[in-house]
């Protein structure tokens, strides 16, 4: 229903005040969602739209607090609306750059490139000359899209141009691109390229950065999951962390336990578990998931059951991954009755069923379809009620019968 002019005016004033407060004070995602809902309500009941300055404020708010790629669509919608309004003269380079920062946050390279091309066509190829973080933002977009090679090439070309400018007598200091280097380092760790990640981290340390625990944990994880590296190399990475003044967090201990289990070092993972408790870090769901997955995979049933008992004694809620690991372990131990009993309870009480758990159940059903006729009916019911996607069935069949996945 259309709103009166007075109602629209009040809503617009309220939205503008919210935008101004959002820029000057930290806000939560919940506040951002409420602000967006208000804008959509005003938009649906009137012809009012945010202007260029308000669009930039909205994009800054999205950049600060947004979570999820849905906000890329919303940010793009704001700029597209601005482009469609002749009185606003389209998106300015400032607004375009604000949009690019939002898209780069989520690694949406395709939209970043489209926005850059559109700005170049409208404002000329030199439109980004005065933007200090233009290259850095584009490198971040490539790094977060897991394209570290392209990100490194862009950063190298930019550094080359800056060095040439300095040789010609330019007194402007070279921007260190610390944030871009950090994202590039994390991208190399995800790509399992420890050598290039170390190069980025060394540059960060030389610039006075690179002392965040997350960066070192990413480096530690690369060495932990790559079996080419012996355990003493993980300890060397820890030594460098300590010498750089980096503090350990819960993730650091989880990674060390993971690396110990992967290499079959039973005494080491227990040692790191006790170190974690001694340091004041409470073992969390990630800790127990790491332990259960590896212990169940290596057939260490008694150790895995001790972990399960510890979780129950300390009231640690089981995650989908820990439940799946326990069910998989029970199946390997030929204790299928427990699996089916848990599955029946979950279905009948309307509990959550993870894809991995459903895979274990269907694989067990395929072993003895006549024995588990009622469980088969429950599995079909889950599919009919859309409580589980059909891809889970494919996963289960592929796990049971190699080659059937195609």
């Amino acid at each position: 229903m259309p709103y009166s002019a007075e109602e629209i005016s009040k809503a617009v004033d309220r939205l503008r005040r919210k935008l101004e407060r959002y820029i000057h004070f930290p806000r939560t995602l919940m506040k951002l969602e409420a602000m967006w809902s208000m804008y959509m309500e005003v938009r649906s009941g009137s012809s009012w739209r945010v202007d260029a300055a308000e669009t930039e404020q909205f994009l800054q708010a999205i950049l600060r607090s947004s979570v999820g790629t849905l906000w890329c669509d919303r940010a793009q919608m704001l700029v597209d609306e601005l482009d469609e309004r002749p009185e606003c003269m389209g998106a300015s380079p400032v607004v375009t750059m604000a949009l690019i920062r939002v898209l780069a946050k989520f690694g949406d390279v395709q939209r970043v490139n489209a926005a850059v091309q559109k700005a170049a066509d409208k404002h000329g190829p030199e439109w980004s000359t005065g933007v200090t973080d233009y290259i850095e933002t584009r490198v971040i977009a490539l790094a977060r899209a897991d394209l570290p090679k392209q990100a490194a090439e862009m950063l190298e070309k930019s550094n080359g141009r800056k060095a040439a400018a300095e040789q010609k007598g330019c007194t402007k200091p070279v921007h260190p691109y610390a944030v871009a280097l950090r994202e590039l380092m994390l991208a190399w760790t995800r790509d399992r390229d420890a050598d290039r990640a170390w190069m980025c981290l060394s540059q960060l340390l030389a610039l006075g950065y690179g002392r965040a625990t997350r960066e070192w944990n990413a480096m530690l994880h690369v060495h932990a999951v790559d079996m080419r590296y012996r355990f003493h190399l993980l300890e060397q990475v820890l030594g460098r962390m300590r010498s750089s003044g980096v503090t350990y967090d819960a993730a650091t201990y989880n990674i060390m336990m993971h690396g110990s289990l992967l290499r079959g070092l039973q005494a080491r993972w227990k040692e790191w578990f006790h170190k974690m408790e001694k340091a004041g870090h409470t073992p969390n769901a990630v800790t127990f998931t790491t332990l259960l997955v590896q212990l169940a995979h290596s057939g260490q049933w008694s150790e895995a059951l001790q972990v399960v008992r510890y979780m129950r004694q300390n009231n640690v809620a089981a995650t989908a991954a820990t439940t799946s690991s326990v069910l998989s372990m029970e199946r390997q131990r030929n204790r299928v009755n427990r699996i089916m009993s848990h599955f029946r309870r979950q279905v009948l009480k309307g509990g959550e069923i993870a894809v991995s758990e459903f895979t274990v159940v269907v694989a067990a059903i395929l072993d003895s379809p006549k024995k588990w006729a009622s469980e088969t009916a429950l599995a079909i019911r889950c599919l009919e009620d859309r409580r589980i996607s059909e891809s889970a069935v494919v996963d289960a069949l592929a796990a049971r019968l190699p080659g059937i996945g195609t």
Side-chain angles (χ1 to χ4, degrees):
M1 185 179 78
Y3 295 95
S4 66
E6 185 180 357
E7 288 175 326
I8 293 170
S9 177
K10 287 182 179 179
V12 168
D13 288 341
R14 187 179 173 197
L15 180 62
R16 284 173 172 161
R17 288 196 302 271
K18 280 182 174 291
L19 277 171
E20 290 175 2
R21 287 200 301 270
Y22 210 107
I23 298 306
H24 294 100
F25 303 100
R27 301 286 173 177
T28 63
L29 176 62
M30 186 173 63
K31 295 275 187 181
L32 182 61
E33 287 281 3
M35 196 161 64
W36 180 262
S37 298
M38 181 187 294
Y39 172 63
M40 295 305 292
E41 188 176 352
V42 175
R43 182 178 175 275
S44 64
S46 71
S47 60
W48 180 84
R49 300 290 183 271
V50 290
D51 59 21
E54 291 162 345
T55 299
E56 184 192 356
Q57 287 181 322
F58 228 133
L59 292 172
Q60 288 182 35
I62 292 172
L63 178 64
R64 175 182 290 179
S65 301
S66 60
V67 176
T69 54
L70 170 66
W71 286 99
C72 287
D73 299 331
R74 293 173 174 178
Q76 189 70 58
M77 188 191 87
L78 288 170
V79 176
D80 289 345
E81 284 181 351
L82 197 64
D83 284 332
E84 292 169 2
R85 296 164 61 195
E87 69 273 16
C88 291
M89 304 295 289
S92 66
V94 174
V95 173
T96 300
M97 197 60 218
L99 172 64
I100 290 173
R101 292 187 189 105
V102 172
L103 299 175
K105 176 180 178 179
F106 298 102
D108 195 337
V109 176
Q110 187 174 357
R111 279 180 174 167
V112 167
N113 293 338
V116 169
Q117 186 59 50
K118 190 174 182 180
D121 293 340
K122 183 176 181 180
H123 304 289
E126 303 298 324
W127 72 274
S128 62
T129 303
V131 183
T132 56
D133 65 336
Y134 171 71
I135 295 296
E136 186 173 34
T137 303
R138 295 201 65 185
V139 171
I140 290 170
L142 291 167
R144 293 195 174 184
D146 289 332
L147 298 170
K149 291 182 181 179
Q150 295 180 30
E153 288 173 3
M154 179 174 288
L155 196 59
E156 188 175 350
K157 287 179 182 178
S158 174
N159 288 334
R161 287 194 293 269
K162 285 183 176 290
E166 282 190 332
Q167 288 178 359
K168 292 179 181 179
C170 177
T171 57
K172 187 177 179 180
V174 176
H175 187 63
Y177 293 144
V179 178
L181 266 175
R182 176 180 177 272
E183 292 295 336
L184 181 57
M185 191 218 81
L186 294 173
W188 283 127
T189 60
R190 291 192 295 272
D191 201 46
R192 304 284 179 87
D193 194 329
D195 293 337
R196 287 191 172 97
W198 272 118
M199 288 175 60
C200 292
L201 186 55
S202 298
Q203 293 177 51
L204 281 169
L205 291 169
L207 292 168
Y209 299 92
R211 289 179 173 81
T213 307
R214 184 193 171 194
E215 297 157 10
W216 283 91
N217 281 344
M219 187 65 72
L220 187 63
H221 186 261
V222 171
H223 292 79
V225 298
D226 193 333
M227 299 302 290
R228 293 177 301 173
Y229 299 110
R230 295 182 181 275
F231 191 80
H232 71 87
L233 286 176
L234 273 70
E235 294 175 328
Q236 287 181 15
V237 176
L238 284 174
R240 291 195 64 176
M241 283 180 69
R242 198 181 302 110
S243 62
S244 299
V246 181
T247 56
Y248 301 166
D249 62 5
T252 309
Y253 294 96
N254 289 340
I255 293 168
M256 291 303 294
M257 284 185 275
H258 188 197
S260 303
L261 284 167
L262 283 175
R263 290 160 180 79
L265 303 173
Q266 303 306 316
R268 288 293 179 89
W269 80 256
K270 292 178 182 179
E271 177 186 338
W272 278 100
F273 186 85
H274 294 310
K275 283 182 178 180
M276 182 180 192
E277 292 184 313
K278 189 176 180 180
H281 297 289
T282 304
N284 52 26
V286 177
T287 306
F288 296 114
T289 300
T290 300
L291 294 175
L292 277 174
V293 168
Q294 291 301 323
L295 290 170
H297 180 72
S298 58
Q300 299 177 58
W301 317 126
S302 59
E303 300 284 353
L305 290 173
Q306 286 181 20
V307 173
V308 173
R309 292 191 196 98
Y310 186 95
M311 290 177 66
R312 289 174 179 168
Q313 290 170 2
N314 292 273
N315 298 319
V316 179
T319 63
T322 54
T323 302
S324 175
S325 298
V326 172
L327 291 174
S328 178
M329 180 178 67
E330 295 288 4
R331 181 169 176 264
Q332 292 177 52
R333 297 173 69 199
N334 295 320
R335 301 178 73 172
V336 184
N337 288 333
R338 288 193 177 186
I339 297 175
M340 295 309 181
S341 176
H342 181 271
F343 176 65
R344 282 195 298 270
R345 286 197 304 271
Q346 289 294 98
V347 174
L348 295 175
K349 74 177 183 181
E352 182 182 355
I353 300 172
V355 171
S356 53
E357 179 182 347
F358 192 80
T359 300
V360 173
V361 169
V362 175
I365 288 173
L366 288 171
D367 284 334
S368 305
K370 291 183 179 179
K371 181 179 179 181
W372 307 112
S374 60
E375 284 71 17
T376 303
L378 289 175
I380 294 171
R381 175 177 159 185
C382 289
L383 292 169
E384 289 175 343
D385 295 345
R386 298 185 181 276
R387 293 180 59 185
I388 203 79
S389 66
E390 292 184 10
S391 63
V393 181
V394 177
D395 292 340
L397 290 173
R400 182 69 180 87
L401 303 172
I404 202 170
T406 58

PDB file of all heavy atoms in Angstrom, residues 36 38-39 42 44 48 99 118 166 169 179 232 237-238 244 249 291 334 349 374 389 391:
ATOM      1  N   TRP A  36      18.639  -2.224   5.979  1.00  0.00           N
ATOM      2  CA  TRP A  36      18.313  -2.626   4.620  1.00  0.00           C
ATOM      3  C   TRP A  36      16.808  -2.889   4.478  1.00  0.00           C
ATOM      4  O   TRP A  36      16.191  -2.503   3.478  1.00  0.00           O
ATOM      5  CB  TRP A  36      19.099  -3.877   4.228  1.00  0.00           C
ATOM      6  CG  TRP A  36      18.794  -4.335   2.832  1.00  0.00           C
ATOM      7  CD1 TRP A  36      17.937  -5.316   2.463  1.00  0.00           C
ATOM      8  CD2 TRP A  36      19.329  -3.795   1.622  1.00  0.00           C
ATOM      9  NE1 TRP A  36      17.901  -5.447   1.101  1.00  0.00           N
ATOM     10  CE2 TRP A  36      18.747  -4.515   0.558  1.00  0.00           C
ATOM     11  CE3 TRP A  36      20.230  -2.792   1.329  1.00  0.00           C
ATOM     12  CZ2 TRP A  36      19.041  -4.259  -0.771  1.00  0.00           C
ATOM     13  CZ3 TRP A  36      20.534  -2.523   0.002  1.00  0.00           C
ATOM     14  CH2 TRP A  36      19.940  -3.242  -1.034  1.00  0.00           C
ATOM     15  N   MET A  38      14.465  -1.517   6.172  1.00  0.00           N
ATOM     16  CA  MET A  38      13.792  -0.215   6.172  1.00  0.00           C
ATOM     17  C   MET A  38      13.875   0.436   4.794  1.00  0.00           C
ATOM     18  O   MET A  38      12.889   0.978   4.275  1.00  0.00           O
ATOM     19  CB  MET A  38      14.428   0.701   7.216  1.00  0.00           C
ATOM     20  CG  MET A  38      13.771   2.085   7.293  1.00  0.00           C
ATOM     21  SD  MET A  38      14.654   3.207   8.384  1.00  0.00           S
ATOM     22  CE  MET A  38      14.374   2.403   9.941  1.00  0.00           C
ATOM     23  N   TYR A  39      15.046   0.350   4.176  1.00  0.00           N
ATOM     24  CA  TYR A  39      15.211   0.942   2.848  1.00  0.00           C
ATOM     25  C   TYR A  39      14.293   0.264   1.834  1.00  0.00           C
ATOM     26  O   TYR A  39      13.644   0.936   1.015  1.00  0.00           O
ATOM     27  CB  TYR A  39      16.664   0.839   2.394  1.00  0.00           C
ATOM     28  CG  TYR A  39      16.852   1.261   0.941  1.00  0.00           C
ATOM     29  CD1 TYR A  39      16.564   2.566   0.545  1.00  0.00           C
ATOM     30  CD2 TYR A  39      17.283   0.356  -0.020  1.00  0.00           C
ATOM     31  CE1 TYR A  39      16.717   2.956  -0.770  1.00  0.00           C
ATOM     32  CE2 TYR A  39      17.433   0.746  -1.341  1.00  0.00           C
ATOM     33  CZ  TYR A  39      17.152   2.046  -1.711  1.00  0.00           C
ATOM     34  OH  TYR A  39      17.287   2.431  -3.020  1.00  0.00           O
ATOM     35  N   VAL A  42      10.701   1.485   2.346  1.00  0.00           N
ATOM     36  CA  VAL A  42      10.487   2.830   1.800  1.00  0.00           C
ATOM     37  C   VAL A  42      10.496   2.786   0.282  1.00  0.00           C
ATOM     38  O   VAL A  42       9.678   3.440  -0.392  1.00  0.00           O
ATOM     39  CB  VAL A  42      11.576   3.796   2.322  1.00  0.00           C
ATOM     40  CG1 VAL A  42      11.440   5.159   1.660  1.00  0.00           C
ATOM     41  CG2 VAL A  42      11.482   3.944   3.830  1.00  0.00           C
ATOM     42  N   SER A  44       9.656   0.326  -1.695  1.00  0.00           N
ATOM     43  CA  SER A  44       8.472  -0.314  -2.277  1.00  0.00           C
ATOM     44  C   SER A  44       7.238   0.580  -2.196  1.00  0.00           C
ATOM     45  O   SER A  44       6.315   0.431  -2.994  1.00  0.00           O
ATOM     46  CB  SER A  44       8.189  -1.630  -1.551  1.00  0.00           C
ATOM     47  OG  SER A  44       7.868  -1.393  -0.189  1.00  0.00           O
ATOM     48  N   TRP A  48      11.174   7.237  -3.870  1.00  0.00           N
ATOM     49  CA  TRP A  48      12.415   7.768  -3.300  1.00  0.00           C
ATOM     50  C   TRP A  48      13.530   6.732  -3.386  1.00  0.00           C
ATOM     51  O   TRP A  48      13.322   5.541  -3.170  1.00  0.00           O
ATOM     52  CB  TRP A  48      12.196   8.158  -1.845  1.00  0.00           C
ATOM     53  CG  TRP A  48      13.446   8.717  -1.202  1.00  0.00           C
ATOM     54  CD1 TRP A  48      13.898   9.992  -1.265  1.00  0.00           C
ATOM     55  CD2 TRP A  48      14.387   7.980  -0.411  1.00  0.00           C
ATOM     56  NE1 TRP A  48      15.082  10.105  -0.562  1.00  0.00           N
ATOM     57  CE2 TRP A  48      15.406   8.889  -0.035  1.00  0.00           C
ATOM     58  CE3 TRP A  48      14.478   6.652  -0.006  1.00  0.00           C
ATOM     59  CZ2 TRP A  48      16.486   8.511   0.739  1.00  0.00           C
ATOM     60  CZ3 TRP A  48      15.560   6.280   0.770  1.00  0.00           C
ATOM     61  CH2 TRP A  48      16.550   7.194   1.141  1.00  0.00           C
ATOM     62  N   LEU A  99      31.935   0.357  -4.213  1.00  0.00           N
ATOM     63  CA  LEU A  99      31.357  -0.919  -4.668  1.00  0.00           C
ATOM     64  C   LEU A  99      32.444  -1.968  -4.862  1.00  0.00           C
ATOM     65  O   LEU A  99      32.289  -3.129  -4.439  1.00  0.00           O
ATOM     66  CB  LEU A  99      30.598  -0.700  -5.974  1.00  0.00           C
ATOM     67  CG  LEU A  99      30.094  -1.975  -6.680  1.00  0.00           C
ATOM     68  CD1 LEU A  99      29.066  -2.696  -5.821  1.00  0.00           C
ATOM     69  CD2 LEU A  99      29.524  -1.648  -8.050  1.00  0.00           C
ATOM     70  N   LYS A 118      33.416  -0.611 -16.575  1.00  0.00           N
ATOM     71  CA  LYS A 118      32.342   0.376 -16.713  1.00  0.00           C
ATOM     72  C   LYS A 118      32.820   1.766 -16.316  1.00  0.00           C
ATOM     73  O   LYS A 118      32.507   2.767 -16.981  1.00  0.00           O
ATOM     74  CB  LYS A 118      31.156  -0.048 -15.834  1.00  0.00           C
ATOM     75  CG  LYS A 118      29.902   0.754 -16.054  1.00  0.00           C
ATOM     76  CD  LYS A 118      28.750   0.149 -15.253  1.00  0.00           C
ATOM     77  CE  LYS A 118      27.455   0.909 -15.490  1.00  0.00           C
ATOM     78  NZ  LYS A 118      26.328   0.311 -14.714  1.00  0.00           N
ATOM     79  N   GLU A 166      59.719   6.293  -8.755  1.00  0.00           N
ATOM     80  CA  GLU A 166      60.685   6.801  -7.772  1.00  0.00           C
ATOM     81  C   GLU A 166      62.011   7.175  -8.435  1.00  0.00           C
ATOM     82  O   GLU A 166      62.645   8.158  -8.088  1.00  0.00           O
ATOM     83  CB  GLU A 166      60.919   5.757  -6.686  1.00  0.00           C
ATOM     84  CG  GLU A 166      59.800   5.691  -5.662  1.00  0.00           C
ATOM     85  CD  GLU A 166      60.179   4.815  -4.481  1.00  0.00           C
ATOM     86  OE1 GLU A 166      60.990   3.892  -4.672  1.00  0.00           O
ATOM     87  OE2 GLU A 166      59.676   5.065  -3.386  1.00  0.00           O
ATOM     88  N   GLY A 169      62.268  10.571  -9.875  1.00  0.00           N
ATOM     89  CA  GLY A 169      62.267  11.698  -8.945  1.00  0.00           C
ATOM     90  C   GLY A 169      60.978  11.906  -8.205  1.00  0.00           C
ATOM     91  O   GLY A 169      60.792  12.950  -7.573  1.00  0.00           O
ATOM     92  N   VAL A 179      47.847  -5.029   3.506  1.00  0.00           N
ATOM     93  CA  VAL A 179      46.623  -5.843   3.527  1.00  0.00           C
ATOM     94  C   VAL A 179      46.596  -6.792   2.341  1.00  0.00           C
ATOM     95  O   VAL A 179      46.236  -7.970   2.464  1.00  0.00           O
ATOM     96  CB  VAL A 179      45.376  -4.931   3.531  1.00  0.00           C
ATOM     97  CG1 VAL A 179      44.104  -5.778   3.508  1.00  0.00           C
ATOM     98  CG2 VAL A 179      45.374  -4.015   4.745  1.00  0.00           C
ATOM     99  N   HIS A 232      59.046 -32.045  13.114  1.00  0.00           N
ATOM    100  CA  HIS A 232      59.970 -31.055  13.690  1.00  0.00           C
ATOM    101  C   HIS A 232      59.908 -29.737  12.927  1.00  0.00           C
ATOM    102  O   HIS A 232      60.229 -28.668  13.467  1.00  0.00           O
ATOM    103  CB  HIS A 232      61.404 -31.596  13.733  1.00  0.00           C
ATOM    104  CG  HIS A 232      62.056 -31.719  12.397  1.00  0.00           C
ATOM    105  ND1 HIS A 232      62.726 -30.675  11.811  1.00  0.00           N
ATOM    106  CD2 HIS A 232      62.145 -32.766  11.531  1.00  0.00           C
ATOM    107  CE1 HIS A 232      63.210 -31.068  10.636  1.00  0.00           C
ATOM    108  NE2 HIS A 232      62.869 -32.324  10.446  1.00  0.00           N
ATOM    109  N   VAL A 237      58.237 -23.840  12.872  1.00  0.00           N
ATOM    110  CA  VAL A 237      57.299 -22.750  12.583  1.00  0.00           C
ATOM    111  C   VAL A 237      56.812 -22.128  13.894  1.00  0.00           C
ATOM    112  O   VAL A 237      56.718 -20.896  14.025  1.00  0.00           O
ATOM    113  CB  VAL A 237      56.097 -23.258  11.751  1.00  0.00           C
ATOM    114  CG1 VAL A 237      55.076 -22.140  11.539  1.00  0.00           C
ATOM    115  CG2 VAL A 237      56.563 -23.796  10.412  1.00  0.00           C
ATOM    116  N   LEU A 238      56.518 -22.976  14.875  1.00  0.00           N
ATOM    117  CA  LEU A 238      56.109 -22.472  16.186  1.00  0.00           C
ATOM    118  C   LEU A 238      57.205 -21.620  16.818  1.00  0.00           C
ATOM    119  O   LEU A 238      56.935 -20.599  17.458  1.00  0.00           O
ATOM    120  CB  LEU A 238      55.758 -23.636  17.113  1.00  0.00           C
ATOM    121  CG  LEU A 238      54.414 -24.332  16.884  1.00  0.00           C
ATOM    122  CD1 LEU A 238      54.301 -25.548  17.777  1.00  0.00           C
ATOM    123  CD2 LEU A 238      53.263 -23.384  17.142  1.00  0.00           C
ATOM    124  N   SER A 244      58.718 -14.067  16.885  1.00  0.00           N
ATOM    125  CA  SER A 244      58.115 -12.878  16.283  1.00  0.00           C
ATOM    126  C   SER A 244      57.113 -12.206  17.212  1.00  0.00           C
ATOM    127  O   SER A 244      56.485 -11.211  16.832  1.00  0.00           O
ATOM    128  CB  SER A 244      57.411 -13.253  14.965  1.00  0.00           C
ATOM    129  OG  SER A 244      58.332 -13.781  14.037  1.00  0.00           O
ATOM    130  N   ASP A 249      46.771 -19.310  19.940  1.00  0.00           N
ATOM    131  CA  ASP A 249      45.359 -19.354  20.312  1.00  0.00           C
ATOM    132  C   ASP A 249      44.862 -20.796  20.208  1.00  0.00           C
ATOM    133  O   ASP A 249      45.655 -21.719  19.969  1.00  0.00           O
ATOM    134  CB  ASP A 249      44.525 -18.405  19.450  1.00  0.00           C
ATOM    135  CG  ASP A 249      44.543 -18.765  17.968  1.00  0.00           C
ATOM    136  OD1 ASP A 249      45.128 -19.814  17.604  1.00  0.00           O
ATOM    137  OD2 ASP A 249      43.967 -18.004  17.166  1.00  0.00           O
ATOM    138  N   LEU A 291      40.026 -34.349  16.406  1.00  0.00           N
ATOM    139  CA  LEU A 291      40.464 -35.587  17.052  1.00  0.00           C
ATOM    140  C   LEU A 291      39.636 -36.783  16.592  1.00  0.00           C
ATOM    141  O   LEU A 291      40.188 -37.828  16.225  1.00  0.00           O
ATOM    142  CB  LEU A 291      40.367 -35.444  18.576  1.00  0.00           C
ATOM    143  CG  LEU A 291      41.299 -34.420  19.226  1.00  0.00           C
ATOM    144  CD1 LEU A 291      41.011 -34.301  20.709  1.00  0.00           C
ATOM    145  CD2 LEU A 291      42.762 -34.789  19.006  1.00  0.00           C
ATOM    146  N   ASN A 334      31.217 -52.606  12.791  1.00  0.00           N
ATOM    147  CA  ASN A 334      30.069 -53.505  12.599  1.00  0.00           C
ATOM    148  C   ASN A 334      29.009 -53.341  13.693  1.00  0.00           C
ATOM    149  O   ASN A 334      28.378 -54.298  14.120  1.00  0.00           O
ATOM    150  CB  ASN A 334      30.528 -54.972  12.542  1.00  0.00           C
ATOM    151  CG  ASN A 334      31.408 -55.238  11.324  1.00  0.00           C
ATOM    152  OD1 ASN A 334      31.125 -54.715  10.239  1.00  0.00           O
ATOM    153  ND2 ASN A 334      32.456 -56.008  11.504  1.00  0.00           N
ATOM    154  N   LYS A 349      12.017 -37.326  15.814  1.00  0.00           N
ATOM    155  CA  LYS A 349      11.861 -36.123  16.637  1.00  0.00           C
ATOM    156  C   LYS A 349      12.105 -34.835  15.851  1.00  0.00           C
ATOM    157  O   LYS A 349      12.055 -33.738  16.408  1.00  0.00           O
ATOM    158  CB  LYS A 349      12.792 -36.175  17.843  1.00  0.00           C
ATOM    159  CG  LYS A 349      14.257 -35.932  17.522  1.00  0.00           C
ATOM    160  CD  LYS A 349      15.090 -35.945  18.805  1.00  0.00           C
ATOM    161  CE  LYS A 349      16.554 -35.632  18.512  1.00  0.00           C
ATOM    162  NZ  LYS A 349      17.369 -35.654  19.745  1.00  0.00           N
ATOM    163  N   SER A 374      12.507 -50.639   7.250  1.00  0.00           N
ATOM    164  CA  SER A 374      11.856 -49.476   7.874  1.00  0.00           C
ATOM    165  C   SER A 374      12.753 -48.244   7.814  1.00  0.00           C
ATOM    166  O   SER A 374      12.277 -47.120   7.619  1.00  0.00           O
ATOM    167  CB  SER A 374      11.491 -49.792   9.328  1.00  0.00           C
ATOM    168  OG  SER A 374      12.666 -50.126  10.074  1.00  0.00           O
ATOM    169  N   SER A 389      19.176 -33.169   0.751  1.00  0.00           N
ATOM    170  CA  SER A 389      19.201 -33.014  -0.702  1.00  0.00           C
ATOM    171  C   SER A 389      19.477 -34.353  -1.377  1.00  0.00           C
ATOM    172  O   SER A 389      20.078 -35.254  -0.793  1.00  0.00           O
ATOM    173  CB  SER A 389      20.270 -32.002  -1.107  1.00  0.00           C
ATOM    174  OG  SER A 389      21.557 -32.502  -0.796  1.00  0.00           O
ATOM    175  N   SER A 391      21.525 -34.956  -3.620  1.00  0.00           N
ATOM    176  CA  SER A 391      22.957 -35.176  -3.859  1.00  0.00           C
ATOM    177  C   SER A 391      23.562 -36.065  -2.785  1.00  0.00           C
ATOM    178  O   SER A 391      24.557 -36.748  -3.014  1.00  0.00           O
ATOM    179  CB  SER A 391      23.698 -33.838  -3.896  1.00  0.00           C
ATOM    180  OG  SER A 391      23.605 -33.190  -2.641  1.00  0.00           O
TER     181      SER A 391
END
